[in-house]
Amino acid sequence: MADTIGGSRGTVSATEFAEAGLHLDVGGGLATITLNRPERRNAMTFATWSALAEIGAGLPPDVRVVVLRGAGPSFSAGVDLRMFQPEGVPGQGSFPALARLDDAEFDQMIAAAQEGFTWLRRPDVVSVAAVQGHAIGAGFQLALACDLRVLAADARLCMKEPTLGLVPDLTGTKPLVDAVGYARALEICLTGRVVGAEEARELGLAELVVPGDGLTEAVRDLCAALLATDRDTATATKRLLQGAAGRTLTEQAACERREQVARMKALFGAGRPGA
Ligand code: ACO
């Protein structure tokens, strides 16, 4: 476990991660973030999202793969439901209290929470969600924030926010639409129904579905394969693929050329190490 992690937001101690319901392990190019409040099915608060953002901001430069996993039977039951009560979560306030903020302040708070999710898509790391049991609301959105999802056969995904009168606001709507299309995304969100592991795979929400007791091993194998590819090549390839949907074929072809020229120069050009 990393004792501290330092980033643009300052240094965070292991104790602070623990208070936010997280555990962090870093080593061998891999960072494993465990949602670690199994007695509450890894329910999350603003402190959790803030700590996730801190981890992203302070990630050691040798980390190339980030795994998000949950301790216990569920990946995450979403936001801590105590937030809906006036008394809220100690030290975290409550939604009724937050609703009294002015719009700009409230927008800022949500933006800060979203930072806990968005860094998982940055090109220099590949993020993998290892999902068993329930991934509800914010939990589903956290899995969607990752590049890849490996699901145990008992995984149950549910976008519950609209059922509770809220919209999904933790960056989950875009990856959901990108994966399953607008109509299916609308149906999943507005019915609040559970999407099981097999359906998730068919819909493109999971790269892999494995028996429950095989999740750790499957994720370990995937991480080893990801780590075997050269870092700069992986980063350039991720950049290319991430932007592909928003570009025309001509634009994409130009991006491929640009990235390849840089790769070739790094591999074979005069400036390469030892040339
Ligand atoms: N917030 C706070 N506590 C929770 C949450 C949560 N989201 N989910 C579960 N817990 C607590 C339960 O209150 C219970 O505590 P207790 O032992 O003190 O009674 C403990 O975790 C275990 O929960 P169970 O319901 O007994 O566990 P089970 O495995 O049977 O069910 C499930 C798990 C399906 C996740 C169920 O707990 C559930 O439906 N939770 C609420 C999910 C939800 O609505 N989340 C909000 C989504 S919206 C959003 O994230 C923005």
Side-chain angles (χ1 to χ4, degrees):
M1 164 111 184
D3 288 321
T4 59
I5 197 160
S8 55
R9 293 157 160 249
T11 301
V12 192
S13 70
T15 313
E16 285 170 280
F17 286 140
E19 282 168 1
L22 296 177
H23 179 91
L24 174 68
D25 278 302
V26 180
L30 184 70
T32 301
I33 303 168
T34 303
L35 304 168
N36 198 26
R37 206 171 262 152
E39 71 287 357
R40 283 197 182 273
R41 300 299 181 262
N42 302 323
M44 297 184 275
T45 64
F46 280 94
T48 318
W49 303 323
S50 170
L52 281 172
E54 301 284 358
I55 291 172
L59 209 61
D62 62 323
V63 170
R64 302 183 41 206
V65 177
V66 177
V67 173
L68 255 299
R69 61 181 292 278
S74 301
F75 178 72
S76 172
V79 75
D80 193 314
L81 289 175
R82 290 175 298 170
M83 289 295 288
F84 286 85
Q85 305 302 322
E87 53 279 16
V89 176
Q92 293 295 300
S94 67
F95 290 146
L98 291 173
R100 290 195 287 274
L101 295 174
D102 70 44
D103 289 2
E105 265 182 298
F106 206 168
D107 182 277
Q108 255 320 104
M109 265 204 89
I110 298 173
Q114 289 172 333
E115 283 180 35
F117 294 64
T118 47
W119 69 270
L120 291 160
R121 294 279 182 173
R122 65 191 224 199
D124 61 327
V125 294
V126 180
S127 51
V128 179
V131 180
Q132 82 286 4
H134 291 94
I136 301 178
F140 186 11
Q141 294 192 69
L142 186 58
L144 284 166
C146 293
D147 293 308
L148 306 173
R149 280 157 293 285
V150 181
L151 269 50
D154 72 344
R156 293 167 72 76
L157 314 176
C158 171
M159 198 64 90
K160 196 159 178 192
E161 286 83 345
T163 313
L164 299 170
L166 301 174
V167 298
D169 66 343
L170 293 167
T171 77
T173 55
K174 181 162 173 52
L176 182 64
V177 170
D178 287 349
V180 305
Y182 157 75
R184 181 61 69 196
L186 188 66
E187 180 262 327
I188 287 170
C189 289
L190 294 192
T191 63
R193 74 175 173 89
V194 166
V195 177
E198 281 307 328
E199 185 188 0
R201 175 164 58 188
E202 282 162 22
L203 289 175
L205 286 169
E207 280 53 60
L208 203 59
V209 174
V210 298
D213 60 0
L215 186 61
T216 303
E217 194 183 349
V219 170
R220 195 170 47 229
D221 290 350
L222 175 61
C223 291
L226 292 168
L227 286 166
T229 300
D230 167 74
R231 177 181 197 136
D232 293 341
T233 311
T235 303
T237 305
K238 181 170 171 182
R239 243 187 337 247
L240 264 181
L241 297 177
Q242 270 187 322
R247 297 189 195 110
T248 64
L249 181 59
T250 306
E251 290 164 346
Q252 184 70 3
C255 288
E256 288 176 2
R257 294 196 299 277
R258 204 161 41 243
E259 294 285 9
Q260 195 69 303
V261 167
R263 293 304 314 133
M264 290 280 189
K265 293 212 166 181
L267 284 174
F268 308 114
R272 76 186 195 284

